[in-house]
Every structure is written in C-alpha cells, then in structure tokens.
Amino acid sequence: MAKLIIEGGHTLKGQITVHGAKNAALPILAAAMLVPEPVRISNCPRLTDVENMAGLLRALGCRAEWVEDDLLIDAGSARTAELPEGLAGSIRSSVFLLGPLLGRFGAAEAPYPGGCDIGHRPVDLHLKGFRAMGVKVDEASGRIRCLGRPKGGAEIALEYPSVGATENLLMAACGAEEDTVLVNPAREPEIDDLMNFLNGAGFELRREGSSRIRIRGGRRSHGTAHAIVPDRIEAGTYLAAAAITGGHLLIRGARREHLSALLTALREAGCRIRLEGTDLDIEGPERPRELRRLATQPYPGFPTDMQSQMFALCTVAKGTSVLEENVFEDRFRHGAELVRMGADCLIRGRSAVIRGVKHLHGAQVTAHDLRGGAALALAGLRAEGITVVERAERIDRGYMNFAATLRSVGAAIRREDD
Ligand code: EPZ
C-alpha cells in the first residue's frame, strides 16, 4: 500500500503536460481483440488499470508489450474467450472485453467485474444490448457467459447513455454481418477515440447526429496505429490544483473542447483561464468563490470524474456551494474525509451542501477511489500543516506519477510505499 504526505500552503507554479486518457486506453486495448493483426497504441498512459488490461489480453493469448511509450498488441494468436477469475474480477474494465470477444469469437465469458466503490456498477445495460443482438447471455454462478455471434440489422436503444455499455455494444456490433444502430449512446470523447481506433483498423463507425451511432456490418479489419486522446480528467485535476492553491499553471496538450463544462465552473469559482492552442493557462484566486449549483451529467455536462476535485475546492470557498452527483449513487465518500480536515458539509443522498471555511487543517485521510483520493491530495495542498492520504495506490489507477508531477510545480508532497 502507499501513502502521500503533503505539507500544505505552497502555491503551484509551472507547467504540466497531460498524458493519454485512461478511459480511452482501456476500451481501445479491449478493442484490439477484434483485430487479428498487430496494432500500435501510442500516448498510452502507464497506469495500473492499463497494465491490468494488458495482462488480461495476455491471459487470452494475445501478445502485449511496451516499446518505449507505445503498447504493441497482437491479438492474432488470441485463443480463448474466457477471462481468468483472479485478475478480471479486480477491475471494472474487464467487462469491456465481452463485446470484442463476442465480435471476434461469437463467445465471451467473464466474472462479474469489480470496480472502485462509487456505486454498485451494474452491467445490465451491456447485457440487455447483447441480448438485443441475438446473443445468449447467462448470468448464473456469478459469471457472465455470452454465446452467439452478434446479429446486426437492429436499432438498439440505450435507456441511459452508459459509457461502458456504448463501448461494449459498438465493439460487439463490429463483428456483425449487417449494420447496427445504437440509439441514445454516450457522447464522451473517449468513445469517439475508440471509434477512431476502430475506423483506423478497417471497421466503419460514425455518429449520425448526437443520438445515434451507426456501425457498418461485414467489415474486415487490419493492423493499425493509434494515438490515445489526451486525458481531460487528468487535465481537469491539475487545473483544480491551481485553483485550490491560488497558483498559476500552464496545462499543456489538453483538448479544450473536452473541458467546456469544467472551465465554466472554474471561472465561476474565480479562476482566470487563458486558452492558447492546446495550452490552458490558469491562475487560481486568493480564495475561491462558491459554486451555487454544480450537477454532474453525462457528457457534455459537468463530468462526474471531476466532482470530488471540485468538492475539495468548494470546502475553502467564500460562500456555500451545492453539488449534485447524478451519475453514481455513492460518490461522496471523500466528504467524510474532508470533514476530518475541517470541511463543513452536509451530504444527503445525491446532494452535498458545502459551507466554505477559511482554513482546512492537515489530517490523516483515506482515498476510497481514484478521483476521491486525488481530491484529498488537492485539499492537502491547501490545508495548514501535514496531510497523510492513505491507500494512495488507488490514485495510481488514474494518474501517472501524481506526487512527482505536483512536486514539479512546487507542491511539498512525497510518497511512501509500504
Ligand atoms: C465510465 O464508467 C468511466 N470508466 C468512469 O470513470 C466514468 O465515471 C463513467 O464512465 C461516467 O463518465 C471507464 O471508462 C473505465 P457508465 P462506466 O456506464 O462505463 C449506471 C474514473 O474515475 N449503469 O456511464 O461504468 C452506472 O451504475 C471512472 O475514471 C447501469 O445502471 O460508466 C452509473 O450509475 C469512474 N447499468 C451510470 O450508469 C449499466 O449496465 C453511469 O455508468 C451500466 C451503467
């Protein structure tokens, strides 16, 4: 296990370059299973979840190896469609393999996926979509067993624009002989990056307006090279770090069009943000202003993956903020940890009322999930005294070299691994 030790009170100054997006890399690595030739993934972040996914591909008989910062995957030798118990159960992204395995082999089997504790994370929408494609899905004995090649020719409406279900279903549909249309798909940019990868490998997918994706059937695939889209949540987390410390950072390599809702909220909090090409120049205020109402929504609404970081910012705002978490049912566990640091907040169901305090004080706190852990570290950057964030290995799931990156722009932060 790991912990972060942070001495607060240092404003951040300098520049940070964002890496490739975790939530694009995971489905794209899974999608490589659809392609029986070598693919080269560049700008791929070296995160624990990504390493785990590469491990799953190897367990299925694929070759997956790093060449400098690129991940080379060859699924030509993939021989089985059954995920091993041990590893697969540990990460939610193992469920992303069901779609490509169905598309490639017409069969897929996996244990129910794990995940971090922000909610019970069902996969009913994924399985409902597979069944709508004529796949036989059996959920007995705690495993998910799917059998049958996905049939095209259908319009499949998602009752909720689930990111994972959209990705799984469009990957399964790549194996169908006829076209499939997904109705009410998720609109997150990571899905467009997945589609770009698949199109580069010979498949044909495209959005038809904002509420439909058409996946052409009967396409044959070939090897390809793809660069992962920049991580909008990593960029957003470091923007929030500048905001909470009253610092001045240049965040390089992000796609500003993926950050509109966040930039609006940061400006409301009093940040001055200048856009310069793919660089974002942000200056945080001496003390942030409250966010009167911030509600997480599917993209392009305010991202749930930035809720905990903005929660931390609101704890030291001048007034009272109201946050609504509309995507996950249990994503406020960082609230209790922030109270240990002197925050004043009231959490009821999906709403949090946060009355800003002038000062937080350092405390020993626990990261319950990767974004909540990052939020506690941000609070520690602002708090008076020393903050220790336990279970910091959970932060590694979404951030490369998190402590070193913050230290490089002036934070007094170090990591201890047990
Ligand atoms: C993806 O999770 C991301 N993970 C999450 O990022 C992100 O928070 C989420 O999308 C929303 O943007 C990856 O891409 C690996 P959903 P996913 O399916 O696919 C419910 C992070 O911090 N739902 O859009 O699981 C679900 O319970 C992680 O990087 C069903 O009810 O998100 C949730 O309440 C956390 N049935 C809501 O939909 C289903 O079959 C959104 O889930 C599927 C989902």
Side-chain angles (χ1 to χ4, degrees):
M1 294 200 277
K3 63 177 78 158
L4 297 177
I5 298 100
I6 305 161
E7 180 195 64
H10 302 265
T11 54
L12 304 187
K13 217 168 175 55
Q15 59 180 291
I16 293 172
T17 300
V18 294
H19 299 96
K22 164 178 87 79
N23 292 348
L26 294 174
I28 285 172
L29 264 59
M33 175 57 75
L34 281 163
V35 183
E37 292 180 5
V39 300
R40 189 180 188 105
I41 311 292
S42 57
N43 199 32
C44 190
R46 298 194 79 145
L47 300 164
T48 33
D49 275 7
V50 170
E51 299 289 0
N52 280 339
M53 177 60 90
L56 289 178
L57 291 173
R58 291 185 198 104
L60 292 166
C62 304
R63 205 161 53 82
E65 60 204 24
W66 291 94
V67 176
E68 286 130 35
D69 282 345
D70 294 0
L71 193 54
L72 292 185
I73 300 169
D74 183 350
S77 48
R79 61 179 183 282
T80 165
E82 189 175 329
L83 283 170
E85 268 297 336
L87 195 57
S90 66
I91 47 170
R92 174 168 182 73
S93 31
S94 57
V95 80
F96 285 133
L97 277 162
L98 291 174
L101 286 169
L102 279 172
R104 175 86 182 274
F105 297 115
E109 184 172 327
Y112 262 92
C116 40
D117 33 345
I118 53 176
H120 66 289
R121 311 292 294 273
V123 290
D124 57 309
L125 300 178
H126 302 235
L127 305 184
K128 204 167 171 180
F130 290 151
R131 290 188 173 107
M133 291 179 173
V135 174
K136 189 175 170 312
V137 178
D138 172 54
E139 299 171 64
S141 66
R143 287 180 71 80
I144 302 171
R145 286 190 175 83
C146 305
L147 202 54
R149 187 166 290 286
K151 286 186 190 51
E155 274 205 3
I156 297 174
L158 279 167
E159 59 201 72
Y160 176 87
S162 151
V163 170
T166 301
E167 291 165 340
N168 237 337
L169 297 178
L170 66 81
M171 290 190 282
C174 285
E177 285 307 312
E178 288 177 74
D179 291 11
T180 303
V181 174
L182 290 188
V183 179
N184 189 32
R187 297 162 60 187
E188 274 69 4
E190 292 76 27
I191 289 169
D192 295 87
D193 202 37
L194 171 61
M195 289 165 60
N196 292 339
F197 166 75
L198 290 165
N199 287 335
F203 295 106
E204 193 182 325
L205 304 91
R206 67 171 185 280
R207 287 192 186 275
E208 293 177 342
S210 62
S211 58
R212 293 162 70 87
I213 291 177
R214 178 177 296 276
I215 304 101
R216 286 265 178 242
R219 309 287 302 187
R220 293 292 161 262
S221 64
H222 50 70
T224 186
H226 180 81
I228 301 282
V229 71
D231 194 323
R232 60 193 168 98
I233 305 301
E234 184 190 30
T237 302
Y238 292 124
L239 287 165
I244 201 168
T245 60
H248 185 175
L249 288 180
L250 185 66
I251 306 297
R252 318 206 66 167
R255 293 270 180 81
R256 65 164 84 162
E257 67 272 21
H258 297 164
L259 287 159
S260 306
L262 175 66
L263 296 179
T264 302
L266 287 167
R267 287 190 175 108
E268 184 189 346
C271 296
R272 198 190 53 67
I273 299 171
R274 257 205 330 274
L275 308 172
E276 293 158 8
T278 60
D279 293 346
L280 295 159
D281 183 289
I282 182 169
E283 271 184 277
E286 176 65 31
R287 187 176 176 195
R289 286 198 299 264
E290 70 281 1
L291 297 177
R292 293 198 179 289
R293 179 176 177 273
L294 187 68
T296 66
Q297 302 291 347
Y299 191 89
F302 186 86
T304 175
D305 292 348
M306 279 303 303
Q307 178 262 109
S308 48
Q309 299 90 315
M310 296 303 276
F311 191 123
L313 182 66
C314 291
T315 65
V316 291
K318 289 177 190 142
T320 296
S321 306
V322 178
L323 300 193
E324 275 174 51
E325 174 49 67
N326 295 311
V327 177
F328 288 102
E329 69 272 17
D330 185 16
R331 200 170 197 175
F332 282 134
R333 295 190 66 186
H334 43 278
E337 303 299 322
L338 290 163
V339 166
R340 294 166 57 82
M341 298 176 71
D344 178 356
C345 59
L346 183 66
I347 293 170
R348 285 280 180 280
R350 288 185 179 249
S351 291
V353 179
I354 306 160
R355 203 199 327 260
V357 294
K358 207 153 170 37
H359 301 292
L360 293 176
H361 53 77
Q364 184 155 357
V365 291
T366 302
H368 292 293
D369 65 276
L370 69 153
R371 309 301 178 188
L376 296 175
L378 298 191
L381 295 175
R382 173 84 186 209
E384 291 171 341
I386 302 294
T387 298
V388 177
V389 181
E390 303 284 353
R391 304 307 306 273
E393 71 279 5
R394 290 175 172 157
I395 300 174
D396 300 342
R397 293 183 56 188
Y399 300 91
M400 276 175 74
N401 312 320
F402 185 66
T405 301
L406 288 169
R407 200 166 45 244
S408 73
V409 289
I413 178 171
R414 64 186 167 80
R415 176 193 175 106
E416 274 180 19
D417 286 279
D418 298 351

